[in-house]
Amino acid sequence: FQDLHPHRVRNEVYHHGILPNQVSEDIYGPYRAPYFSNSLGFRDARVREVSLVGEQPRILLIGDSFTEAGPIPWERTFAGILAATLADRGIDVLNAGVASYCPEIMLAKIRYYFEQVGLQVNQVVVFIDISDVKDELFYQSDESGRVQAVAYGPFHGHAQELAQVDQICNWLETRVEKNFVILGAIVRNIRLQWRRTTSKTGVMASDEIPDWAYNWPDYQGPYREFVERGLAKAEANMTRVAELLKSKGVGLTVVVYPWPQQVRAGTRPSRAETEWSSWADQHQARFISLFPLFVNATPADEIIAEYYWKNDAHWNEAGQAKVAKELLDQLVIPSSEK
């Protein structure tokens, strides 16, 4: 992974991030794009020095891979479009988003840059999606506030058994299935059946994570407990974000948006909307839902084909442009007047 993405790095405070002042390339499946980071370690249009105290109003964006948009050229991402448009109004846009971020990590990163680095901005825009509920269960901060990965997430109590099962399955895949055609096919079927039936170790439950993690707004299955735990943890961390920003006099906007499966479900309002809208009301944060852009009278298959990558959850360039236009209409832009 590091060989393909040399600009990505582990971080001892907020788990993972981007190296500063990098000229690289981001690769994700068939997609790739030039990648630049600034002196803060944020994705940017180019390598540049960013002062901690800006001479002009600044907006900080933070979220996961939808916000980072790594394998799309910067100028075609919604962050890049916002940055170019608002630069003409005397406003700087910083993008602190990185793949696999969730409120646990975003809280640690915002706190680090505000309290240890000394970064100052006028407004923070946090992007929340359905993956955050799962990711919250796979990360945990220690007593010093440093974010650590949690092995097997909600199944951490079965970590030892699961690691042993994974070790055996990985050996079978690499040593047998990939080297022998007939024997490999037989072994693969046995391995998959074993994983489905080895419920005592939690393997079956672990394999079903996508069912609750990526469909939770409409999910009603046996793992609802995980949905509620992840959602409660996400909201608690976002409350800490809101309190931190309030203490600094910084505005907060929360943005939610749908994945393709939510577009297909067509549920409006989605629980992803109602939960975060209610949270925003309670914490005096501005709330923006991008669901109406993608969940509307237009057939779901047409929306997905036009605005999302094929066989993937992320927005393509058209989707990024659509989001940028909506954000420019709805964001409260800080005044550039001194």
Side-chain angles (χ1 to χ4, degrees):
F1 180 84
Q2 195 66 32
D3 291 339
L4 290 176
H5 305 88
H7 51 281
R8 301 186 181 276
V9 66
R10 292 292 182 188
N11 186 277
E12 62 178 11
V13 176
Y14 48 86
H15 192 267
H16 63 281
I18 304 299
L19 287 169
N21 300 318
Q22 294 292 297
V23 178
S24 184
E25 183 180 49
D26 205 76
I27 302 171
Y28 180 79
Y31 309 102
R32 60 178 61 209
Y35 197 102
F36 303 92
S37 64
N38 58 37
S39 60
L40 295 174
F42 298 166
R43 191 181 184 191
D44 212 322
R46 64 189 185 282
V47 174
R48 64 169 175 137
E49 187 69 25
V50 179
S51 63
L52 297 179
V53 181
E55 297 180 355
Q56 56 192 30
R58 295 197 288 197
I59 298 173
L60 177 71
L61 312 177
I62 191 165
D64 61 14
S65 51
F66 280 80
T67 304
E68 183 187 10
I72 292 178
W74 168 263
E75 65 276 9
R76 299 173 192 167
T77 66
F78 78 77
I81 295 169
L82 289 179
T85 304
L86 296 181
D88 293 337
R89 306 184 198 176
I91 298 163
D92 195 15
V93 174
L94 301 174
N95 184 7
V98 177
S100 297
Y101 273 14
C102 61
E104 182 83 39
I105 295 176
M106 291 189 280
L107 169 63
K109 187 169 188 175
I110 292 170
R111 180 186 290 143
Y112 172 76
Y113 274 92
F114 281 23
E115 297 187 341
Q116 295 189 42
V117 177
L119 178 65
Q120 294 184 17
V121 302
N122 300 81
Q123 182 180 167
V124 172
V125 184
V126 177
F127 293 82
I128 299 286
D129 66 19
I130 55 175
S131 69
D132 292 301
V133 164
K134 173 188 75 72
D135 290 343
E136 284 290 296
L137 300 178
F138 281 82
Y139 295 104
Q140 182 67 52
S141 295
D142 61 21
E143 294 180 356
S144 64
R146 298 173 186 272
V147 180
Q148 309 292 329
V150 177
Y152 299 100
F155 306 101
H156 184 66
H158 298 285
Q160 185 174 356
E161 301 106 303
L162 289 169
Q164 291 173 348
V165 171
D166 281 344
Q167 185 176 14
I168 294 171
C169 287
N170 289 338
W171 187 89
L172 290 172
E173 286 183 79
T174 57
R175 299 297 181 88
V176 180
E177 294 174 34
K178 292 185 178 180
N179 294 317
F180 302 94
V181 178
I182 298 177
L183 178 61
I186 295 172
V187 168
R188 180 177 185 276
N189 288 332
I190 294 174
R191 174 177 60 81
L192 292 176
Q193 182 64 28
W194 180 47
R195 290 187 73 91
R196 282 192 292 268
T197 57
T198 317
S199 58
K200 289 183 180 180
T201 63
V203 174
M204 184 177 70
S206 180
D207 288 344
E208 290 178 359
I209 282 178
D211 188 31
W212 62 265
Y214 297 126
N215 296 289
W216 67 262
D218 297 302
Y219 176 78
Q220 297 295 324
Y223 300 108
R224 290 176 64 184
E225 172 198 354
F226 297 149
V227 171
E228 302 307 323
R229 279 171 50 192
L231 184 58
K233 187 167 179 281
E235 291 179 343
N237 279 319
M238 281 299 296
T239 296
R240 296 184 183 98
V241 169
E243 292 170 348
L244 173 62
L245 297 184
K246 184 177 180 180
S247 72
K248 303 290 183 183
V250 176
L252 171 62
T253 298
V254 174
V255 180
V256 299
Y257 52 89
W259 282 38
Q261 54 265 49
Q262 291 173 282
V263 177
R264 289 194 180 93
T267 305
R268 288 295 319 281
S270 166
R271 189 182 178 196
E273 294 178 275
T274 57
E275 287 284 344
W276 288 109
S277 176
S278 176
W279 180 93
D281 285 342
Q282 294 174 29
H283 297 88
Q284 294 78 54
R286 182 167 173 76
F287 176 76
I288 297 175
S289 174
L290 300 180
F291 275 71
L293 291 181
F294 304 101
V295 183
N296 51 48
T298 305
D301 288 343
E302 292 182 19
I303 290 286
I304 293 168
E306 185 171 1
Y307 298 115
Y308 291 83
W309 279 334
K310 185 177 181 180
N311 300 321
D312 189 86
H314 296 83
W315 297 314
N316 57 23
E317 292 181 9
Q320 291 278 331
K322 189 177 185 67
V323 168
K325 183 179 183 301
E326 186 68 15
L327 292 175
L328 286 169
D329 288 340
Q330 290 206 48
L331 281 175
V332 175
I333 308 299
S335 174
S336 60
E337 296 180 3
K338 296 293 184 180

